[in-house]
Coordinates of all heavy atoms in Angstrom, one line a residue:
M1 N 323.0 191.0 141.6 CA 322.7 192.0 142.6 C 323.0 193.4 142.0 O 324.0 193.6 141.4 CB 323.4 191.8 143.8 CG 323.2 192.8 145.0 SD 324.1 192.4 146.6 CE 325.5 191.4 146.1
A2 N 321.7 194.2 142.1 CA 321.9 195.6 141.4 C 321.3 196.4 142.5 O 320.1 196.4 142.9 CB 321.2 195.6 140.3
F3 N 322.1 197.3 143.0 CA 321.7 198.3 143.9 C 321.6 199.7 143.1 O 322.6 200.2 142.5 CB 322.8 198.5 145.0 CG 322.8 197.5 146.1 CD1 322.2 196.1 145.8 CD2 323.1 197.7 147.4 CE1 322.3 195.2 146.8 CE2 323.0 196.8 148.4 CZ 322.5 195.5 148.0
S4 N 320.5 200.4 143.3 CA 320.4 201.8 142.6 C 320.8 201.7 141.2 O 321.7 202.4 140.7 CB 321.2 202.9 143.3 OG 320.9 203.0 144.6
S5 N 320.3 200.8 140.5 CA 320.5 200.4 139.0 C 320.6 201.5 138.2 O 319.5 202.3 138.0 CB 319.5 199.4 138.5 OG 319.4 198.3 139.4
A6 N 321.6 201.7 137.6 CA 321.8 202.8 136.6 C 321.6 202.2 135.1 O 322.7 202.3 134.4 CB 323.3 203.4 136.8
F7 N 320.5 201.7 134.9 CA 320.3 201.1 133.5 C 320.1 202.1 132.4 O 320.3 201.9 131.2 CB 319.1 200.3 133.6 CG 319.1 199.1 134.5 CD1 318.0 198.8 135.3 CD2 320.2 198.2 134.6 CE1 318.0 197.7 136.2 CE2 320.3 197.1 135.4 CZ 319.1 196.8 136.2
W8 N 320.1 203.4 132.8 CA 319.8 204.4 131.9 C 321.0 204.5 130.8 O 320.8 204.8 129.6 CB 319.7 205.8 132.4 CG 320.7 206.3 133.3 CD1 320.9 206.1 134.7 CD2 322.0 206.9 132.9 NE1 322.1 206.5 135.2 CE2 322.7 207.0 134.1 CE3 322.3 207.4 131.7 CZ2 324.0 207.8 134.1 CZ3 323.6 208.1 131.7 CH2 324.4 208.2 132.8
F9 N 322.2 204.2 131.3 CA 323.3 204.4 130.2 C 323.5 203.1 129.3 O 324.2 203.3 128.4 CB 324.6 204.8 131.0 CG 325.2 203.6 131.7 CD1 326.2 202.8 131.1 CD2 325.0 203.2 133.0 CE1 326.9 201.7 131.6 CE2 325.5 202.2 133.6 CZ 326.4 201.4 133.0
N10 N 322.9 202.0 129.7 CA 323.1 200.9 128.8 C 321.8 199.9 128.7 O 321.9 198.8 128.5 CB 324.2 199.9 129.3 CG 323.9 199.3 130.6 OD1 322.9 199.6 131.3 ND2 324.6 198.2 130.9
A11 N 320.6 200.6 128.9 CA 319.4 199.8 129.0 C 319.2 199.1 127.7 O 318.8 197.9 127.7 CB 318.2 200.8 129.2
E12 N 319.4 199.7 126.5 CA 319.3 199.0 125.2 C 320.1 197.6 125.1 O 319.6 196.6 124.7 CB 319.5 199.8 124.2 CG 318.3 200.8 123.8 CD 318.5 201.7 122.5 OE1 319.0 201.0 121.4 OE2 318.3 202.9 122.5
D13 N 321.3 197.9 125.4 CA 322.3 196.8 125.4 C 321.9 195.8 126.4 O 322.1 194.5 126.0 CB 323.7 197.2 125.5 CG 324.3 198.1 124.5 OD1 323.8 198.1 123.4 OD2 325.3 198.9 124.7
L14 N 321.6 196.1 127.5 CA 321.4 195.1 128.6 C 320.1 194.4 128.3 O 320.1 193.1 128.3 CB 321.1 195.8 130.0 CG 320.6 194.9 131.1 CD1 321.7 193.7 131.4 CD2 320.4 195.7 132.3
N15 N 319.1 195.0 127.8 CA 317.8 194.2 127.5 C 318.0 193.4 126.2 O 317.4 192.2 126.2 CB 316.7 195.3 127.3 CG 316.3 195.7 128.7 OD1 315.7 194.9 129.5 ND2 316.3 197.0 128.9
A16 N 318.9 193.9 125.4 CA 319.1 193.1 124.1 C 320.0 191.9 124.6 O 319.6 190.8 123.9 CB 319.9 193.9 123.1
F17 N 320.7 191.9 125.3 CA 321.6 190.8 125.9 C 320.7 189.8 126.5 O 320.7 188.6 126.3 CB 322.6 191.2 126.9 CG 323.2 190.1 127.6 CD1 324.2 189.3 126.9 CD2 322.9 189.7 128.9 CE1 324.6 188.1 127.6 CE2 323.3 188.6 129.5 CZ 324.2 187.7 128.9
I18 N 319.7 190.3 127.4 CA 318.9 189.3 128.0 C 317.9 188.7 127.0 O 317.8 187.5 127.0 CB 317.9 190.2 129.0 CG1 318.7 190.6 130.2 CG2 316.7 189.3 129.5 CD1 318.0 191.7 131.1
L19 N 317.3 189.5 126.0 CA 316.4 188.8 125.1 C 317.1 187.9 124.1 O 316.5 187.0 123.7 CB 315.6 189.9 124.4 CG 314.7 190.8 125.3 CD1 314.2 192.0 124.6 CD2 313.6 189.9 125.9
N20 N 318.3 188.3 123.8 CA 319.0 187.4 122.7 C 320.0 186.4 123.2 O 320.6 185.7 122.6 CB 319.7 188.4 121.8 CG 318.8 189.4 121.1 OD1 317.7 189.0 120.7 ND2 319.1 190.7 121.0
S21 N 320.1 186.3 124.6 CA 321.2 185.5 125.1 C 320.9 184.0 125.0 O 319.7 183.5 125.0 CB 321.1 185.7 126.6 OG 322.1 184.9 127.2
K22 N 321.9 183.2 124.6 CA 321.7 181.9 124.4 C 322.0 181.2 125.9 O 321.7 179.9 126.0 CB 322.8 181.3 123.5 CG 322.6 181.9 122.2 CD 321.3 181.5 121.4 CE 321.4 182.0 120.0 NZ 320.1 182.5 119.6
V23 N 322.5 182.0 126.9 CA 322.7 181.4 128.2 C 321.5 181.2 128.9 O 320.4 181.9 128.7 CB 323.6 182.5 129.0 CG1 323.7 182.0 130.4 CG2 324.9 182.7 128.3
N24 N 321.3 180.0 129.6 CA 320.1 179.7 130.3 C 320.0 180.6 131.6 O 320.7 180.4 132.5 CB 319.9 178.3 130.7 CG 318.8 177.9 131.3 OD1 317.9 178.7 131.6 ND2 318.6 176.5 131.3
L25 N 319.2 181.7 131.5 CA 319.1 182.6 132.7 C 318.1 182.2 133.6 O 318.2 182.8 134.9 CB 318.8 184.0 132.0 CG 319.7 184.6 131.1 CD1 319.0 185.8 130.5 CD2 321.1 184.9 131.5
K26 N 317.3 181.3 133.6 CA 316.2 180.9 134.3 C 316.7 180.4 135.7 O 315.9 180.3 136.6 CB 315.2 180.1 133.7 CG 315.6 178.7 133.4 CD 314.5 177.9 132.7 CE 314.8 176.3 132.6 NZ 313.9 175.6 132.0
H27 N 317.9 179.9 135.8 CA 318.3 179.3 137.2 C 319.0 180.2 137.9 O 319.5 179.9 139.1 CB 319.1 178.0 136.9 CG 318.3 176.9 136.3 ND1 317.2 176.3 136.7 CD2 318.3 176.4 135.0 CE1 316.7 175.4 135.9 NE2 317.4 175.5 134.8
Q28 N 319.2 181.4 137.5 CA 319.9 182.4 138.2 C 318.9 183.2 139.2 O 317.8 183.2 139.0 CB 320.5 183.5 137.3 CG 321.4 182.9 136.2 CD 322.6 182.2 136.8 OE1 323.3 182.6 137.7 NE2 322.9 181.0 136.3
K29 N 319.4 183.9 140.1 CA 318.7 184.7 141.0 C 319.2 186.2 140.9 O 320.3 186.5 140.6 CB 319.0 184.4 142.5 CG 318.4 183.0 142.9 CD 318.7 182.6 144.3 CE 317.7 183.2 145.2 NZ 317.9 182.7 146.6
Y30 N 318.2 187.1 140.9 CA 318.3 188.5 140.6 C 317.8 189.3 141.6 O 316.5 189.2 142.1 CB 317.7 188.8 139.2 CG 318.1 188.0 138.0 CD1 317.5 186.7 137.9 CD2 319.2 188.3 137.3 CE1 318.0 185.8 136.8 CE2 319.7 187.5 136.2 CZ 319.0 186.3 136.1 OH 319.5 185.6 135.0
Y31 N 318.6 190.3 142.2 CA 318.1 191.1 143.3 C 318.3 192.6 142.9 O 319.4 193.0 142.6 CB 319.1 190.6 144.6 CG 318.6 191.3 145.9 CD1 317.9 190.7 146.8 CD2 318.9 192.6 146.1 CE1 317.6 191.2 148.0 CE2 318.7 193.3 147.3 CZ 317.9 192.5 148.2 OH 317.7 193.0 149.5
F32 N 317.3 193.3 143.1 CA 317.3 194.6 142.7 C 316.8 195.5 143.9 O 315.7 195.3 144.6 CB 316.2 195.0 141.6 CG 316.5 194.2 140.2 CD1 316.0 193.0 140.1 CD2 317.5 194.7 139.3 CE1 316.3 192.2 138.9 CE2 317.8 193.9 138.2 CZ 317.1 192.7 137.9
V33 N 317.5 196.5 144.3 CA 317.0 197.4 145.3 C 317.3 198.9 145.0 O 318.3 199.1 144.4 CB 317.7 197.1 146.7 CG1 319.2 197.3 146.7 CG2 317.0 197.8 148.0
Q34 N 316.3 199.7 145.2 CA 316.7 201.2 144.8 C 315.6 202.0 145.6 O 314.6 201.5 146.2 CB 316.2 201.3 143.3 CG 314.9 200.9 142.9 CD 314.6 200.7 141.5 OE1 315.4 200.0 140.9 NE2 313.6 201.2 141.0
G35 N 316.0 203.4 145.7 CA 315.1 204.3 146.3 C 314.0 204.8 145.4 O 314.1 204.8 144.1
K36 N 312.8 205.0 146.0 CA 311.7 205.5 145.2 C 311.9 206.7 144.4 O 311.4 207.0 143.3 CB 310.5 205.7 146.1 CG 309.3 206.1 145.6 CD 308.5 204.9 145.1 CE 307.1 205.4 144.6 NZ 306.5 204.5 143.6
H37 N 312.8 207.7 144.8 CA 312.9 209.0 144.2 C 314.3 209.1 143.7 O 314.8 210.3 143.6 CB 312.5 210.0 145.1 CG 311.1 209.9 145.7 ND1 310.0 210.0 145.0 CD2 310.7 209.3 146.9 CE1 308.9 209.7 145.7 NE2 309.3 209.4 146.9
E38 N 315.0 208.0 143.4 CA 316.4 208.2 142.9 C 316.5 208.9 141.6 O 317.4 209.8 141.3 CB 317.1 206.8 142.9 CG 317.4 206.3 144.3 CD 318.5 205.2 144.2 OE1 319.6 205.3 143.7 OE2 318.1 204.2 144.6
D39 N 315.7 208.4 140.6 CA 315.6 208.8 139.2 C 314.3 208.7 138.7 O 313.7 207.5 139.0 CB 316.6 208.1 138.4 CG 316.7 208.5 137.0 OD1 315.9 208.0 136.1 OD2 317.6 209.4 136.6
E40 N 313.6 209.4 137.9 CA 312.3 209.3 137.5 C 312.0 208.1 136.7 O 311.0 207.6 136.6 CB 311.9 210.6 136.8 CG 312.5 211.0 135.5 CD 312.2 212.2 135.0 OE1 312.2 213.2 135.7 OE2 311.9 212.3 133.8
D41 N 313.1 207.6 135.9 CA 313.0 206.5 135.1 C 313.4 205.2 135.7 O 313.3 204.1 135.0 CB 313.7 206.7 133.8 CG 313.0 207.9 132.9 OD1 311.9 208.1 133.0 OD2 313.8 208.6 132.3
M42 N 314.0 205.1 136.8 CA 314.7 204.0 137.5 C 313.7 202.9 137.7 O 314.0 201.6 137.2 CB 315.5 204.3 138.6 CG 316.3 203.1 139.2 SD 317.2 203.5 140.7 CE 318.4 204.7 140.1
E43 N 312.6 203.2 138.2 CA 311.6 202.1 138.3 C 311.1 201.5 137.0 O 311.1 200.1 136.9 CB 310.4 202.6 139.3 CG 309.5 201.5 139.7 CD 308.5 202.0 140.6 OE1 308.5 203.1 141.1 OE2 307.5 201.2 140.9
A44 N 310.9 202.2 136.1 CA 310.4 201.7 134.7 C 311.5 200.8 134.1 O 311.2 199.8 133.5 CB 309.9 202.9 133.9
Q45 N 312.8 201.3 134.2 CA 313.9 200.6 133.6 C 314.1 199.3 134.3 O 314.3 198.2 133.7 CB 315.1 201.5 133.6 CG 315.0 202.7 132.7 CD 316.1 203.7 133.0 OE1 317.0 203.5 133.9 NE2 316.2 204.7 132.2
T46 N 313.9 199.2 135.6 CA 314.1 198.0 136.3 C 313.0 197.1 136.1 O 313.3 196.0 135.9 CB 314.2 198.3 137.8 OG1 315.3 199.3 138.2 CG2 314.4 197.1 138.6
N47 N 311.8 197.6 136.0 CA 310.6 196.7 135.6 C 310.7 196.2 134.2 O 310.4 194.9 133.9 CB 309.3 197.5 135.8 CG 308.9 197.6 137.3 OD1 309.2 196.7 138.0 ND2 308.3 198.7 137.5
R48 N 311.4 196.9 133.3 CA 311.5 196.4 131.9 C 312.5 195.2 132.0 O 312.4 194.2 131.3 CB 312.1 197.5 131.1 CG 312.2 197.1 129.6 CD 312.5 198.2 128.7 NE 312.8 197.6 127.3 CZ 313.8 198.1 126.6 NH1 314.4 199.3 126.9 NH2 314.0 197.7 125.4
V49 N 313.6 195.5 132.7 CA 314.7 194.3 132.9 C 314.0 193.1 133.4 O 314.2 191.9 132.9 CB 315.9 194.8 133.7 CG1 316.8 193.6 134.1 CG2 316.7 195.9 132.9
I50 N 313.2 193.3 134.4 CA 312.5 192.2 135.1 C 311.6 191.5 134.1 O 311.5 190.2 134.1 CB 311.9 192.6 136.4 CG1 312.8 193.0 137.4 CG2 310.9 191.6 137.0 CD1 312.4 193.7 138.7
E51 N 310.8 192.2 133.4 CA 309.9 191.7 132.4 C 310.7 190.8 131.5 O 310.3 189.6 131.1 CB 309.1 192.7 131.9 CG 308.0 193.2 132.7 CD 307.1 192.1 133.5 OE1 306.6 191.2 132.7 OE2 307.0 192.2 134.6
N52 N 311.8 191.4 131.0 CA 312.5 190.6 130.0 C 313.2 189.4 130.6 O 313.3 188.3 129.9 CB 313.8 191.6 129.4 CG 313.1 192.5 128.5 OD1 312.1 192.3 127.9 ND2 313.9 193.7 128.3
L53 N 313.6 189.4 131.9 CA 314.1 188.3 132.5 C 312.8 187.1 132.5 O 313.1 185.9 132.3 CB 314.5 188.5 133.8 CG 315.9 189.2 134.0 CD1 316.2 189.7 135.4 CD2 317.0 188.3 133.6
K54 N 311.7 187.6 132.9 CA 310.6 186.7 132.9 C 310.3 186.0 131.6 O 310.0 184.9 131.5 CB 309.4 187.4 133.6 CG 309.6 187.6 135.0 CD 308.2 188.3 135.5 CE 308.3 188.7 137.1 NZ 307.1 189.3 137.5
S55 N 310.5 186.8 130.5 CA 310.3 186.3 129.2 C 311.2 185.1 128.9 O 311.0 184.5 127.9 CB 310.3 187.4 128.2 OG 311.7 187.8 127.8
K56 N 312.4 185.1 129.6 CA 313.3 184.2 129.4 C 313.2 183.1 130.3 O 314.1 182.2 130.6 CB 314.7 184.7 129.5 CG 315.1 185.7 128.4 CD 315.1 185.1 126.9 CE 316.4 184.5 126.8 NZ 316.5 184.1 125.3
N57 N 312.0 182.9 131.0 CA 311.5 181.7 131.8 C 312.1 181.9 133.3 O 312.3 180.9 134.0 CB 311.8 180.5 131.2 CG 311.0 180.3 130.0 OD1 309.8 180.5 130.0 ND2 311.6 179.8 128.9
V58 N 312.7 183.1 133.6 CA 313.0 183.2 135.0 C 311.8 183.3 135.9 O 310.8 184.2 135.6 CB 314.0 184.6 135.2 CG1 314.3 184.7 136.6 CG2 315.2 184.4 134.3
K59 N 311.8 182.5 136.8 CA 310.5 182.5 137.8 C 310.5 183.6 138.7 O 311.5 184.1 139.0 CB 310.5 181.2 138.6 CG 310.3 179.9 137.8 CD 310.2 178.7 138.6 CE 310.1 177.4 138.0 NZ 310.0 177.1 136.7
S60 N 309.3 184.2 139.1 CA 309.2 185.2 139.9 C 309.9 185.0 141.3 O 310.4 185.9 141.8 CB 307.7 185.6 140.1 OG 307.1 186.1 138.9
K61 N 309.9 183.8 141.8 CA 310.6 183.6 143.1 C 312.1 183.8 142.9 O 312.7 184.0 144.0 CB 310.3 182.2 143.4 CG 311.0 181.0 142.7 CD 310.6 179.6 143.2 CE 311.5 178.6 142.5 NZ 311.5 177.4 143.0
N62 N 312.7 183.8 141.7 CA 314.1 184.1 141.6 C 314.5 185.5 141.2 O 315.6 185.9 141.0 CB 314.6 183.2 140.5 CG 314.8 181.7 140.9 OD1 314.5 181.4 142.0 ND2 315.2 181.0 139.9
I63 N 313.4 186.3 141.4 CA 313.5 187.8 141.3 C 313.2 188.5 142.4 O 312.0 188.4 142.9 CB 312.9 188.4 139.9 CG1 313.4 187.7 138.8 CG2 313.0 189.9 139.8 CD1 312.5 187.8 137.4
F64 N 313.9 189.4 143.0 CA 313.5 190.2 144.2 C 313.7 191.6 143.8 O 314.7 192.2 143.3 CB 314.5 190.0 145.4 CG 314.1 190.7 146.6 CD1 313.2 190.2 147.5 CD2 314.8 191.9 146.8 CE1 312.8 191.0 148.7 CE2 314.4 192.7 148.0 CZ 313.4 192.2 148.9
L65 N 312.6 192.4 144.0 CA 312.7 194.0 143.9 C 312.3 194.6 145.2 O 311.1 194.5 145.6 CB 311.8 194.2 142.6 CG 311.6 195.9 142.4 CD1 312.8 196.5 142.2 CD2 310.5 196.0 141.3
K66 N 313.2 195.5 145.6 CA 312.7 196.3 146.7 C 312.9 197.8 146.3 O 313.9 198.1 145.9 CB 313.5 196.0 148.0 CG 313.3 196.8 149.1 CD 314.2 196.4 150.4 CE 313.9 197.1 151.7 NZ 314.8 196.8 152.6
I67 N 311.8 198.5 146.6 CA 311.9 199.9 146.3 C 311.6 200.7 147.6 O 310.5 200.7 148.1 CB 310.8 200.4 145.2 CG1 311.2 199.6 143.9 CG2 311.0 201.9 144.9 CD1 310.2 199.8 142.8
D68 N 312.5 201.4 148.2 CA 312.3 202.1 149.4 C 312.0 203.5 149.2 O 312.6 204.2 148.4 CB 313.7 202.0 150.2 CG 314.0 200.8 150.8 OD1 313.2 200.1 151.4 OD2 315.2 200.2 150.7
E69 N 311.1 204.0 150.1 CA 310.7 205.3 150.0 C 311.9 206.3 150.5 O 312.0 207.3 150.0 CB 309.6 205.6 151.0 CG 308.2 205.2 150.5 CD 307.7 206.0 149.4 OE1 308.0 207.3 149.3 OE2 307.0 205.4 148.5
D70 N 312.7 205.8 151.2 CA 313.9 206.6 151.9 C 315.2 206.2 151.2 O 316.2 206.9 151.6 CB 314.0 206.5 153.4 CG 314.5 205.1 153.7 OD1 314.2 204.1 153.1 OD2 315.1 204.9 154.8
G71 N 315.3 205.5 150.3 CA 316.5 204.9 149.6 C 317.1 206.2 148.7 O 316.4 206.7 148.2
K72 N 318.3 206.2 148.9 CA 319.0 207.2 148.1 C 320.2 206.4 147.4 O 320.7 205.6 147.7 CB 319.7 208.4 149.1 CG 318.5 209.1 149.9 CD 319.3 210.3 150.6 CE 318.3 211.0 151.4 NZ 317.0 211.3 151.2
H73 N 320.8 207.2 146.4 CA 321.8 206.6 145.5 C 323.2 207.0 146.3 O 323.9 207.9 145.9 CB 321.8 207.4 144.3 CG 322.7 206.7 143.3 ND1 322.3 205.5 142.6 CD2 323.9 207.0 142.9 CE1 323.3 205.2 141.8 NE2 324.3 205.9 141.9
N74 N 323.5 206.2 147.3 CA 324.7 206.5 148.1 C 325.2 205.2 148.8 O 324.4 204.2 149.1 CB 324.7 207.7 148.9 CG 323.6 207.5 150.1 OD1 323.6 206.4 150.6 ND2 322.9 208.7 150.4
E75 N 326.4 205.2 149.3 CA 326.9 204.0 149.9 C 326.3 203.8 151.3 O 326.3 202.6 151.6 CB 328.4 204.2 150.1 CG 329.4 204.2 148.8 CD 329.2 205.6 148.0 OE1 328.7 206.6 148.5 OE2 329.8 205.7 146.9
I76 N 325.8 204.8 151.9 CA 325.1 204.5 153.2 C 323.9 203.6 153.1 O 323.7 202.5 153.7 CB 324.8 205.7 153.9 CG1 325.9 206.5 154.3 CG2 323.9 205.6 155.1 CD1 325.7 207.9 154.8
Y77 N 323.1 204.0 152.0 CA 321.9 203.1 151.7 C 322.4 201.8 151.2 O 321.8 200.7 151.6 CB 321.1 203.8 150.6 CG 320.0 203.1 150.0 CD1 319.0 202.6 150.9 CD2 319.7 202.8 148.8 CE1 317.9 201.8 150.4 CE2 318.8 202.1 148.1 CZ 317.7 201.7 149.0 OH 316.7 200.9 148.6
W78 N 323.3 201.7 150.4 CA 323.7 200.2 149.8 C 324.3 199.4 151.0 O 324.0 198.2 151.1 CB 324.8 200.5 148.7 CG 324.3 201.3 147.5 CD1 323.0 201.5 147.2 CD2 325.1 202.1 146.7 NE1 322.9 202.2 146.1 CE2 324.2 202.8 145.8 CE3 326.4 202.5 146.8 CZ2 324.7 203.7 144.8 CZ3 326.8 203.3 145.7 CH2 326.0 204.0 144.8
R79 N 325.0 200.0 151.8 CA 325.6 199.3 153.0 C 324.4 198.7 154.0 O 324.4 197.6 154.3 CB 326.5 200.1 153.9 CG 327.1 199.5 155.1 CD 327.9 200.3 155.8 NE 327.3 201.5 156.3 CZ 328.1 202.7 156.5 NH1 329.4 202.7 156.2 NH2 327.3 203.8 156.9
R80 N 323.3 199.6 154.1 CA 322.2 199.2 154.9 C 321.5 198.0 154.2 O 321.1 197.1 154.9 CB 321.3 200.3 155.0 CG 320.1 200.1 155.7 CD 319.1 201.2 155.7 NE 318.2 201.1 154.6 CZ 317.3 201.9 154.3 NH1 317.3 203.1 154.9 NH2 316.5 201.8 153.3
E81 N 321.5 197.8 153.0 CA 320.9 196.8 152.2 C 321.5 195.6 151.9 O 321.1 194.5 151.6 CB 320.2 197.4 150.9 CG 319.2 198.5 151.2 CD 318.0 198.0 151.9 OE1 317.5 197.0 151.7 OE2 317.5 198.8 152.9
F82 N 322.9 195.7 152.0 CA 323.8 194.6 151.6 C 323.6 193.2 152.2 O 323.4 192.2 151.6 CB 325.2 195.1 151.8 CG 326.3 194.1 151.1 CD1 326.5 194.1 149.7 CD2 326.9 193.2 152.0 CE1 327.4 193.2 149.4 CE2 327.8 192.3 151.4 CZ 328.1 192.3 150.0
E83 N 323.5 193.2 153.5 CA 323.3 191.9 154.2 C 322.0 191.2 153.7 O 322.1 190.0 153.5 CB 323.2 192.2 155.7 CG 323.1 190.9 156.5 CD 323.2 190.9 158.0 OE1 323.3 192.1 158.5 OE2 323.1 189.9 158.6
S84 N 320.8 191.9 153.7 CA 319.7 191.3 153.1 C 319.8 190.7 151.8 O 319.4 189.7 151.4 CB 318.5 192.4 153.0 OG 318.3 192.7 154.4
A85 N 320.6 191.5 151.0 CA 320.8 191.1 149.5 C 321.6 189.7 149.5 O 321.1 188.8 148.9 CB 321.5 192.2 148.8
V86 N 322.6 189.7 150.4 CA 323.4 188.5 150.2 C 322.8 187.3 150.9 O 322.8 186.2 150.3 CB 324.8 188.7 151.1 CG1 325.6 187.4 151.4 CG2 325.5 189.8 150.3
L87 N 321.9 187.5 152.0 CA 321.1 186.4 152.6 C 320.2 186.0 151.5 O 320.0 184.8 151.4 CB 320.5 186.9 153.9 CG 321.6 187.1 155.0 CD1 320.8 187.9 156.2 CD2 322.2 185.9 155.4
W88 N 319.4 186.8 150.8 CA 318.4 186.3 149.9 C 319.1 185.6 148.7 O 318.5 184.5 148.2 CB 317.7 187.5 149.3 CG 316.5 187.1 148.5 CD1 315.1 186.7 148.9 CD2 316.5 186.9 147.0 NE1 314.5 186.4 147.9 CE2 315.3 186.6 146.7 CE3 317.5 187.2 146.1 CZ2 314.9 186.2 145.4 CZ3 317.1 187.0 144.8 CH2 315.8 186.5 144.5
L89 N 320.3 186.0 148.2 CA 321.0 185.5 147.1 C 321.5 184.0 147.5 O 321.8 183.1 146.6 CB 322.0 186.2 146.6 CG 321.5 187.5 145.8 CD1 322.6 188.4 145.6 CD2 320.9 187.0 144.5
D90 N 321.8 183.9 148.8 CA 322.4 182.5 149.3 C 321.6 181.4 148.9 O 320.6 181.2 148.9 CB 322.7 182.6 150.6 CG 323.5 181.4 151.2 OD1 324.2 180.9 150.5 OD2 323.2 181.1 152.5

């Protein structure tokens, strides 16, 4: 579960881990939620992570991405989205 993903500080390491991992990632579920205007690169970085997960045979049905027009990088937004995330991951 990733809320307002700050992949900018470790994008290379994270993507390298996904691409080089010996762990079978395809049976995991991945939930991403972020605001449309949080950071200019956030959407592209999240999409890169998702594409790398798919390259490791993670099915689209196991990946959820929500980008809200009104989402902000703060606890109020995350609290609002938390229940939906937990229910989807269950």
Side-chain angles (χ1 to χ4, degrees):
M1 180 173 18
F3 284 30
S4 299
S5 310
F7 295 138
W8 58 268
F9 77 92
N10 71 344
E12 282 188 43
D13 292 337
L14 175 61
N15 285 298
F17 169 79
I18 293 168
L19 293 172
N20 299 316
S21 180
K22 303 291 185 218
V23 176
N24 187 346
L25 302 174
K26 70 181 184 178
H27 298 296
Q28 306 300 317
K29 292 177 85 175
Y30 303 87
Y31 189 99
F32 303 93
V33 65
Q34 61 199 48
K36 179 84 175 155
H37 306 288
E38 289 192 59
D39 181 274
E40 64 185 49
D41 295 328
M42 187 179 289
E43 189 171 347
Q45 291 170 353
T46 302
N47 284 326
R48 182 172 173 219
V49 168
I50 289 170
E51 289 307 312
N52 288 334
L53 288 168
K54 288 179 178 179
S55 78
K56 297 298 279 190
N57 299 314
V58 175
K59 293 184 181 359
S60 293
K61 72 177 187 170
N62 286 354
I63 301 170
F64 180 87
L65 172 61
K66 180 178 180 183
I67 302 174
D68 285 313
E69 283 294 326
D70 68 332
K72 297 188 186 319
H73 192 83
N74 63 42
E75 290 79 5
I76 294 169
Y77 174 55
W78 302 330
R79 179 177 57 215
R80 181 183 90 185
E81 298 299 319
F82 185 77
E83 183 179 2
S84 295
V86 170
L87 291 172
W88 187 85
L89 288 166
D90 183 28

